[in-house]
Structure formats: C-alpha cells, structure tokens
Amino acid sequence: MQAKEAEKRREIVAFEVEVEGAKEQHRLFPGYEDSDPDLELRGAGEPAAPRRLMIASRPLPVTAFIFEMHTQYERLRHKVHRLLPNQFRSVDPDLTADDAMMRTYQSVATNATATANAEIANPAATWSARLLAEQNVAIALKPMIALVIKLAKDLGTYLAKGKRSGYPNKPTGKYRNVTSDLHYRAQMSRLVARYRVEGLVATYAKQPDYVHSGFERDHQPHSDLLKKVASQTEFADRQIKQVVSGKQAQGGWTIMLHDQRHRAGRTYKQRGKTVSSNFLKALKDERKRLARLLRAAMTEVHDALSTSITGTSPALAKAVLDVGRAKNKANHAVQAVSSSPDACSLVLAAEMQLIAADRALQATPSAQSDRAAVTAALSHMSSASALARSRADDVRAFCVAQMVDSLEQDAQAMKNVVASPPANFSDIEQLTHLNQAERNTLMADIKAEVEAGEDRLLLGQNALHDYARP
C-alpha cells in the first residue's frame, strides 16, 4: 500500500505560472474524468474508467483545459476589440504576434498531452516515463497560461486604473469599480465540460481539489459527524481515527458537487452542525438506556446479597469478606453506571468477588445453606456482566448505525435537490450561450450523475462498519 501511494505521489507534477505578480498554482496527475476511481464503490459490472492526464486547478482533462485556455484567450481578444479598438494598442501593441504564439503554444501542448495520455494508458510504461511525459506537458502549458494571464491582467489594469500615461479616461458603467488584479477569464461554472466532475465519488484526499472552481467535495456522512464519533472513548483505537485525520477528515467519503447543489444539501454549514448535535443527543440517550439496563441488573445482584453469612471457619470467613466486597462493588456500580467509565470494571470486579465467595462456600460443607444468596446473586450477575462486557461494542454499533442512517438521509436529500430542475440549478440557467434545450439536457445529465454517485456511496456502507474495527 505504501509503495502504491508513493508511486501516485511520483506521478503528480506541480508547476507555477507567474506574470507581473499574478501567480497561479497548477497540478497535473493521471486521473479519472467521469467515473469512480475506487473499485470498492464502483457498481457491479461497471468498467474501470480510462486514466488520462488531469489538471487539479480545473476539474478537466488537460485536453479540455487546453481548449479552455484558447477559448479564454479568444474571449479576451474580442473584449479588447469591443471596448478598446484603438487605445489598447498602447497596452499591448503586438496582438497579432500574440495570436501566432497562442496557436503555437496550443499545438505544442496538445501534442505533449497526447503523448502523455498514451504513456498513462500503457500498462508497461514506468512511472518515470509517465512523469517525464507529464513534465513535458507542464512545460508546454506554462507559456500558454502565461499569455492568457498577461492579456487578462493588462485589460484588468487598464479598466481599473483608468487615466494613466498613454491611457484615455477611465471607463464608466459596469467596469468603473473593477480591481487591478481582476482577470477577465471564464468562470468555472461557465463551461459545460467542467460539469463532468459532478457526481464523482472518492475519499476526500483522493478527490482533486478544484480550487476556485465552484465545485466542492461534500462529505457523506458529514465530516463533523465523523469527528464526533471518533472523539468517543470507545473509538480510541479504531480505524475511524485515521479516517478523520487532517483538518477535513481526509479519509471520509465525498461526492463532488457544484456549490449550488452543495448549499442545498442536508449538511451544508450550520445544517451540518445540527446533524452532529442531534447525534450527540441521541448518543447520550443511548448511553442512558444502557446504563439503566446495567443499573437494574446490578441492583438485583446487590439485593440478592442481603442474606447474612455467618461462621467461624477460615473458608467461611473469606466467603463473608468476598460477599461483602462484591456487595460494595455492586452498590458502587449502581451509583456510577451513568457517569463513570469505571462502572463496567466495577461490575466485572463484583463478579470476580462473587465467584471467589462461591468457591469458599463450596469448600465449607456446613455453609451450604448460606450459598443460596451467592447463587442467586450469580444468576443475576451473568446478565449484568454480559451488559458490561458488551457495552463498548454496543456504543460502537449505535454510532455506526447513526452514521449509516445519516448517509442515507444525506443521499436522499441530495437526490431531492437534483430531482426537479431548474430548482437548485441557477448556475446552469446562467449559461446563456446554451439554448434552453441544451440547458435542460445538461441539467438532466447532472441529475443522473449525482444520483449515480449517491447510489455508489450507499453501496459503500461497509466502509462505515470498518470504521469501528481496530
């Protein structure tokens, strides 16, 4: 497992593009475009998705990202000619040369990506060969991204700064209050290709972090619920401790959702805290229920020991002492069972004292009539000790059932969110370059992918049971 994870890390190529103080971080990795990368959550008979080179700063395959960069460049060029047909020459006097460079960069990046995807798809390729191919893609992408940033930053600077040396008066209207670092580039929600990631299912750590994309990883069950479960003493040495590691519960299962759908979900922001709060209340009630059962059993043990045992033999004297200790521990257990973590150990200690007393009485023929109290107490003790021994398991089973129930509610709530477009699909309605029929088709596709993702999460409930294992 460690070797596999190390190889995955070696396949990641990170690079930074900086133009006049504007920085962008990018990360390339072999990934999956539209299917679950984790076999345990893939539906029965569902084929594995082909791996291809992805870019983490956008939820896109690199091939689509290249096209997006070109699209952004063209949109900027059109904006330049529409807003500043003459004056913008003072900002960038050689746009024709930029056009030629963009075409060259796009061609080089496309060819490098095709080579990298072939290496990724080749099962015989070494990780070093794949890494080299990815590095070549990064090298090819950098000047292309830099050119778009430069054009966007120049336009943003002009519109924000207004009158400067060589600049005409500051524009008015909707461009009046823009900031100097504003980049006039397409937002994540404005390109249809980006919606291919919605509905993807994986653990938080395995899902790419599409920074500033409008797409977010939604924990199901909620990350705060996982952390509340992990904080219980009964889970101190259980697998859930690894699941909740890191700030965002890195091992928890997530589904990728657009912000519009995520906000409408059952556990977004304050609603998630309510889910956790309700769990803690339910757990408190369950602990009280288990405590009542244990208290009732130990009360019967205590009452059965009310018969006095008398005698002068050493064995009988020891029996008297053991019964007295057992009765005392039983009383303490009754008092502490709802508040003390030592209550279960007190129950088991009382049982050991009773067993010792019974053995002492067995060794004294004259005291057989006195065994009645001990025998009665032991009959009640069997149920009490069973409750004490299983109490931690009972609490863990209750918590797992709560997580499963929460997951089912999360899944159903999200299915309800996507059930009736255009409700909760305002982002799609804003895609004005699509006609209504195209928007309806996109919403139907998203609905199907999210529902399929939720079904994959529900099929993976065994993972929640594993959380309670050592």
Side-chain angles (χ1 to χ4, degrees):
M1 180 63 72
Q2 290 181 347
K4 186 176 181 181
E5 291 300 319
E7 182 169 339
K8 285 183 179 179
R9 287 193 295 271
R10 287 196 295 263
E11 291 179 352
I12 296 173
V13 173
F15 65 96
E16 180 179 270
V17 180
E18 180 175 359
V19 178
E20 299 175 6
K23 293 182 179 180
E24 282 196 1
Q25 301 285 341
H26 296 276
R27 187 162 61 94
L28 303 179
F29 64 99
Y32 299 83
E33 178 183 359
D34 56 5
S35 186
D36 173 30
D38 294 279
L39 292 175
E40 61 265 36
L41 286 187
R42 188 175 296 133
E46 183 180 342
R51 287 187 11 151
R52 60 195 304 186
L53 197 59
M54 305 286 289
I55 186 161
S57 49
R58 306 285 194 275
L60 288 172
V62 171
T63 49
F65 176 73
I66 293 171
F67 177 75
E68 179 191 317
M69 282 290 102
H70 182 262
T71 301
Q72 291 180 1
Y73 178 82
E74 289 299 319
R75 287 178 177 174
L76 283 167
R77 286 283 278 111
H78 292 156
K79 191 180 292 290
V80 167
H81 284 295
R82 187 173 70 253
L83 295 177
L84 315 164
N86 300 314
Q87 298 94 327
F88 197 75
R89 292 287 177 176
S90 64
V91 179
D92 192 341
D94 199 359
L95 292 177
T96 302
D98 287 349
D99 293 346
M101 285 191 293
M102 175 55 71
R103 288 192 295 271
T104 299
Y105 296 154
Q106 183 178 6
S107 176
V108 172
T110 300
N111 292 337
T113 304
T115 300
N117 283 336
E119 289 288 354
I120 292 167
N122 180 10
T126 63
W127 71 264
S128 57
R130 292 196 296 267
L131 182 62
L132 178 60
E134 290 176 53
Q135 289 173 338
N136 289 335
V137 173
I139 292 171
L141 287 178
K142 285 187 69 170
M144 188 177 187
I145 298 171
L147 185 58
V148 175
I149 293 176
K150 179 178 182 298
L151 186 57
K153 189 170 181 63
D154 284 346
L155 179 59
T157 299
Y158 168 77
L159 293 174
K161 297 299 185 183
K163 189 174 182 179
R164 284 178 43 180
S165 175
Y167 287 15
N169 290 332
K170 188 173 184 178
T172 59
K174 64 179 180 179
Y175 301 110
R176 183 176 54 204
N177 296 318
V178 296
T179 58
S180 60
D181 60 348
L182 180 61
H183 290 181
Y184 286 85
R185 291 188 286 159
Q187 298 300 309
M188 291 297 284
S189 60
R190 294 186 62 82
L191 290 177
V192 174
R194 288 171 170 178
Y195 285 91
R196 293 174 182 171
V197 302
E198 194 156 8
L200 293 188
V201 169
T203 57
Y204 186 92
K206 291 181 181 178
Q207 288 264 41
D209 182 13
Y210 302 130
V211 180
H212 306 308
S213 68
F215 290 92
E216 300 165 346
R217 296 164 285 187
D218 180 23
H219 276 92
Q220 294 185 13
H222 188 47
S223 59
D224 191 55
L225 173 60
L226 298 178
K227 291 181 178 181
K228 292 293 189 295
V229 171
S231 67
Q232 305 305 309
T233 57
E234 291 83 0
F235 287 88
D237 59 346
R238 304 291 148 156
Q239 291 184 20
I240 196 171
K241 285 294 190 181
Q242 284 71 49
V243 172
V244 300
S245 63
K247 184 178 179 181
Q248 298 293 338
Q250 298 292 311
W253 287 98
T254 65
I255 182 170
M256 188 68 73
L257 298 171
H258 190 276
D259 178 66
Q260 288 290 318
R261 264 71 71 195
H262 189 195
R263 285 174 178 271
R266 175 173 173 263
T267 60
Y268 189 79
K269 297 293 185 181
Q270 187 60 42
R271 293 192 293 275
K273 295 180 180 179
T274 300
V275 168
S276 299
S277 176
N278 289 340
F279 159 72
L280 292 177
K281 291 176 183 177
L283 179 58
K284 184 178 180 180
D285 289 341
E286 176 64 9
R287 290 187 185 279
K288 287 181 178 179
R289 185 187 72 84
L290 294 173
R292 286 194 297 270
L293 293 175
L294 190 56
R295 183 185 294 109
M298 289 306 296
T299 299
E300 290 179 332
V301 171
H302 183 271
D303 292 346
L305 295 175
S306 59
T307 302
S308 299
I309 300 176
T310 60
T312 57
S313 70
L316 203 55
K318 184 178 186 308
V320 171
L321 182 62
D322 287 335
V323 168
R325 289 173 176 170
K327 187 175 181 179
N328 187 47
K329 290 183 184 297
N331 183 58
H332 287 169
V334 170
Q335 300 301 319
V337 73
S338 62
S339 60
S340 171
D342 297 328
C344 291
S345 61
L346 288 170
V347 171
L348 298 178
E351 181 182 41
M352 295 302 296
Q353 294 289 167
L354 277 177
I355 292 173
D358 187 57
R359 288 173 180 169
L361 290 172
Q362 283 179 353
T364 310
S366 61
Q368 294 309 300
S369 60
D370 291 329
R371 289 189 64 198
V374 175
T375 302
L378 280 172
S379 67
H380 295 301
M381 181 58 79
S382 61
S383 61
S385 61
L387 286 169
R389 287 187 173 90
S390 68
R391 191 180 186 196
D393 287 336
D394 292 340
V395 170
R396 285 191 284 266
F398 177 83
C399 291
V400 168
Q402 288 283 304
M403 289 189 289
V404 170
D405 180 68
S406 187
L407 169 61
E408 291 173 347
Q409 291 189 55
D410 292 345
Q412 187 57 55
M414 188 48 59
K415 287 183 178 183
N416 293 341
V417 166
V418 299
S420 55
N424 302 311
F425 281 87
S426 61
D427 54 310
I428 305 300
E429 292 299 322
Q430 293 172 6
L431 301 178
T432 54
H433 61 287
L434 301 180
N435 60 43
Q436 190 58 54
E438 291 171 328
R439 291 198 291 272
N440 290 342
T441 298
L442 179 57
M443 285 187 279
D445 289 343
I446 292 171
K447 175 179 179 291
E449 289 301 322
V450 170
E451 288 178 341
E454 294 293 356
D455 288 339
R456 286 197 293 273
L457 280 171
L458 292 173
L459 286 172
Q461 289 183 12
N462 285 341
L464 302 182
H465 292 274
D466 290 340
Y467 292 173
R469 294 190 176 131

